[in-house]
Amino acid sequence: MDDFSRSLSLSGASNFRDLGGYAGQDGRVVRWRRIFRSDHLARLTPQDAHVLQGLGLARAVDFRGQAESSALAYALPAVRYHALPIEPTVVQRAKEMAAAGQRMTAPIAVGLMQDTYRAFVSDNTRQFAALFAHLLDEDTPLVFHCTAGKDRTGFAAALILLALGVSREVVMQDYLLTNGLYRRPVELANTAPSEVLDVIWRVQEDFLQAALHAVERDHGGVERYLEQRLGLHAAARERLHALYLQAPAG
């Protein structure tokens, strides 16, 4: 680690953080201040926007569904916006259960979250492949996000770090940082039992593992999935490493 801070402590986005500093392929380190992950950016303050401008943030990739992004739209000066919508299936399923008079419990919520992560692998290849295409275009600072910056964003971050050669243990540690950073909106307080909210609005190791197991089972492992489904053939992988990895200091 060096003097960079992973979490930027913005007032309007609690889960905005840097993917830099991790040890990747051949001991090379993921470059700081190039790739960021976040919760949504619609509540950024003018000071927050000034901080992001100082970082040279040039691109934002939004994984929120259409209703989510319409309800909380944003525009940042000099930041190109790219929508890659992935609809929030857990929220929709919870609404369906409530309408049918069925009670949501924590175990049911865990199962729904695991199904959601498996669906990222089976149903959202196009969106994650497009994220890598943006990363390969250039290395100007980019942030990708969803609403809470934990599930769609969490799986995307895991794919990026794995593609850069970061160990699975460290990838999981980065994924779980959400639980210490993300501030749940206060208006959600009484929308479901607290034990259910703690499942839906936090992350658990077995959520990400469900996606990675699906990658192993259905695609023969991360390497084959990255190459055959997300377009990271040998030349693209080499370019990704050239853009986002640097030799370790000393």
Side-chain angles (χ1 to χ4, degrees):
M1 296 289 286
D2 52 26
D3 292 335
F4 287 108
S5 171
R6 185 164 307 287
S7 174
L8 270 71
S9 301
L10 302 176
S11 296
S14 60
N15 207 10
F16 193 109
R17 60 189 198 260
D18 197 324
L19 287 185
Y22 294 127
Q25 191 74 30
D26 300 324
R28 299 164 69 193
V29 176
V30 180
R31 293 176 66 193
W32 287 100
R33 299 311 191 235
R34 284 296 177 271
I35 311 174
F36 302 92
R37 53 174 293 178
S38 184
D39 46 339
H40 76 79
L41 307 178
R43 294 195 172 114
L44 295 181
T45 66
Q47 177 58 30
D48 291 338
H50 180 72
V51 170
L52 298 187
Q53 187 175 16
L55 294 174
L57 188 70
R59 301 177 288 166
V61 173
D62 187 351
F63 287 127
R64 292 178 300 168
Q66 293 183 354
E68 295 172 282
S69 56
S70 295
L72 290 168
Y74 69 89
L76 295 171
V79 175
R80 286 166 277 154
Y81 176 84
H82 305 282
L84 297 175
I86 299 173
E87 296 299 332
T89 54
V90 171
V91 174
Q92 181 59 36
R93 181 67 182 127
K95 290 179 179 178
E96 292 170 358
M97 288 184 64
Q102 298 173 321
R103 180 173 173 267
M104 176 70 77
T105 65
I108 290 173
V110 168
L112 289 175
M113 293 300 296
Q114 291 171 329
D115 287 345
T116 293
Y117 276 72
R118 295 185 190 103
F120 293 155
V121 179
S122 60
D123 300 343
N124 301 122
T125 297
R126 179 187 63 81
Q127 292 92 331
F128 296 118
L131 172 63
F132 277 103
H134 286 302
L135 290 171
L136 290 166
D137 278 344
E138 56 187 83
D139 66 349
T140 55
L142 175 149
V143 61
F144 58 96
H145 72 89
C146 51
T147 292
K150 66 184 192 71
D151 301 317
R152 293 162 284 192
T153 296
F155 182 56
L159 290 175
I160 292 169
L161 292 175
L162 289 170
L164 292 171
V166 177
S167 72
R168 289 205 181 198
E169 179 182 4
V170 172
V171 168
M172 185 62 72
Q173 290 171 359
D174 180 83
Y175 170 75
L176 294 173
L177 286 177
T178 282
N179 289 337
L181 292 171
Y182 179 62
R183 295 191 300 269
R184 191 185 307 168
V186 294
E187 57 265 27
L188 294 172
N190 298 311
T191 56
S194 60
E195 62 270 21
V196 172
L197 292 176
D198 283 344
V199 172
I200 294 175
W201 291 97
R202 291 172 62 82
V203 293
Q204 296 182 19
E205 185 170 340
D206 56 329
F207 298 168
L208 182 56
Q209 290 290 12
L212 295 176
H213 288 160
V215 168
E216 299 283 347
R217 182 191 66 222
D218 299 335
H219 301 282
V222 170
E223 298 301 317
R224 291 186 63 185
Y225 178 70
L226 290 170
E227 179 179 354
Q228 297 179 7
R229 302 293 290 156
L230 302 187
L232 280 186
H233 47 77
R237 190 76 166 268
E238 186 175 342
R239 174 167 170 79
L240 190 77
H241 291 178
L243 289 174
Y244 299 107
L245 293 176
Q246 62 186 26

